[in-house]
Amino acid sequence: MTPDHPIPPLEAAELAHVLRWYADMGVDAAVDEVPHDRFAESAAVTRQSQAPHASAPIGAAQAVSAHAVAPARSTPASVTASAQDAVLSAQDLAAGAKTLDALRAVLESFDGCGLKKTATQLCFADGNPQAKLMFVGEAPGADEDRQGKPFVGRAGQLLNRMVAAIGLAREDVYIANVVPWRPPGNRTPTPQETAICLPFVLRQIALVNPDIVMCLGGASAQTLLALKDGITKTRGRWHKLRIGGGDLPEREIAVMPTLHPAYLLRTPAHKRLAWQDFRAVAKALSGA
């Protein structure tokens, strides 16, 4: 536009739409005329958020109860020292949550994961807390971040149809993610972020106490089952996950990794493979 024809100012609704688009694309900082050292700023925020954990280390008795959430797991070597403090805090807080409502409240107040600062809201779970079948994905997307529920976008709609194909409804199953906050721009969660959130989803599984868990996608299967292989090698095979411990009965539950619905939208020819996995789960649920 020329100076004689200036660009008209945006209306409030138009500005909100632009800001939402920036947020969906992962923009979390503005550029101005003065340079900023974002790495130093981020490090300062991390030190400040981790200060309470450093001044109040978890005692031996607390550590035992915390690790009871996932007795067979250790913190990945790639996780930094500050993140390890957050993992220990997450383990202790998760172990102390006696109900799903208490676990949700703990996550709402937990500041150990930086994703909480960039997400719109917590995406805790959806479905039936007494379900025999539980689904666990990796992390929320843009639609899930807006609604606060997992798998509500196109991938979620496909999941609903897949669940209906084995005679169940969304209200009959329980759905969650390993990471309950959306990573900016739908990027993959870092190993630190996944490690920090893992105690919470393990406790969530233990409190729901389903008969079967279906891992949606390779990231979920690798995180929950500590697997190295990709989803094409692990899908369709039964695995075991030990849950409980501490104040909850310890038991092993059956886990079936399968292809993520978002992947199936991009590669519809592989829906037949996921259908095989769902049929195996339906057969196991029926006791046949």
Side-chain angles (χ1 to χ4, degrees):
M1 303 290 284
T2 65
D4 295 333
H5 299 84
I7 298 175
L10 295 177
E11 299 292 336
E14 294 172 318
L15 286 170
H17 178 76
V18 171
L19 290 173
R20 170 55 61 186
W21 184 85
Y22 281 144
D24 288 345
M25 293 301 103
V27 176
D28 57 5
V31 177
D32 55 29
E33 297 179 355
V34 180
H36 295 269
D37 188 342
R38 300 299 184 187
F39 293 104
E41 293 176 0
S42 177
V45 171
T46 300
R47 286 195 299 271
Q48 182 179 4
S49 65
Q50 298 302 329
H53 306 309
S55 61
I58 297 177
Q62 291 175 307
V64 169
S65 64
H67 285 290
V69 178
R73 285 171 175 79
S74 60
T75 303
S78 59
V79 175
T80 63
S82 60
Q84 288 176 359
D85 290 339
V87 170
L88 292 175
S89 176
Q91 289 173 338
D92 189 46
L93 292 169
K98 307 300 183 183
T99 65
L100 289 170
D101 287 340
L103 185 64
R104 177 192 284 269
V106 165
L107 277 166
E108 291 280 9
S109 61
F110 181 68
D111 291 324
C113 181
L115 292 177
K116 179 181 179 181
K117 299 178 178 65
T118 57
T120 301
Q121 59 184 316
L122 175 72
C123 185
F124 183 68
D126 193 28
N128 181 5
Q130 286 80 44
K132 293 183 178 181
L133 176 59
M134 179 174 177
F135 293 93
V136 179
E138 181 182 27
D143 292 320
E144 290 75 17
D145 186 46
R146 282 191 286 270
Q147 298 187 37
K149 294 181 179 181
F151 286 91
V152 294
R154 291 183 62 230
Q157 294 167 14
L158 176 57
L159 178 62
N160 292 346
R161 296 195 295 271
M162 297 165 75
V163 169
I166 60 172
L168 298 173
R170 187 179 177 98
E171 294 76 19
D172 299 321
V173 301
Y174 190 81
I175 309 173
N177 282 303
V178 173
V179 175
W181 294 286
R182 181 203 178 201
N186 288 353
R187 65 163 172 78
T188 301
T190 66
Q192 288 86 353
E193 291 162 349
T194 300
I196 291 169
C197 295
L198 179 58
F200 295 116
V201 73
L202 289 172
R203 184 66 174 183
Q204 197 171 8
I205 295 171
L207 290 169
V208 175
N209 196 27
D211 291 340
I212 297 174
V213 168
M214 290 195 79
C215 292
L216 299 174
S220 172
Q222 290 170 350
T223 301
L224 291 183
L225 301 173
L227 301 175
K228 300 297 183 183
D229 292 332
I231 190 62
T232 56
K233 290 186 177 181
T234 56
R235 59 141 296 273
R237 295 161 47 197
W238 289 105
H239 299 263
K240 292 290 186 180
L241 174 65
R242 185 173 295 276
I243 62 170
D247 62 321
L248 295 176
E250 190 171 338
R251 62 182 287 252
E252 285 188 339
I253 58 174
V255 179
M256 172 65 76
T258 192
L259 302 170
H260 197 286
Y263 170 81
L264 297 176
L265 289 173
R266 300 190 301 269
T267 317
H270 287 179
K271 287 182 180 180
R272 59 181 180 83
L273 299 177
W275 175 234
Q276 293 172 6
D277 303 338
F278 272 74
R279 288 182 63 187
V281 166
K283 183 177 180 180
L285 287 172
S286 67

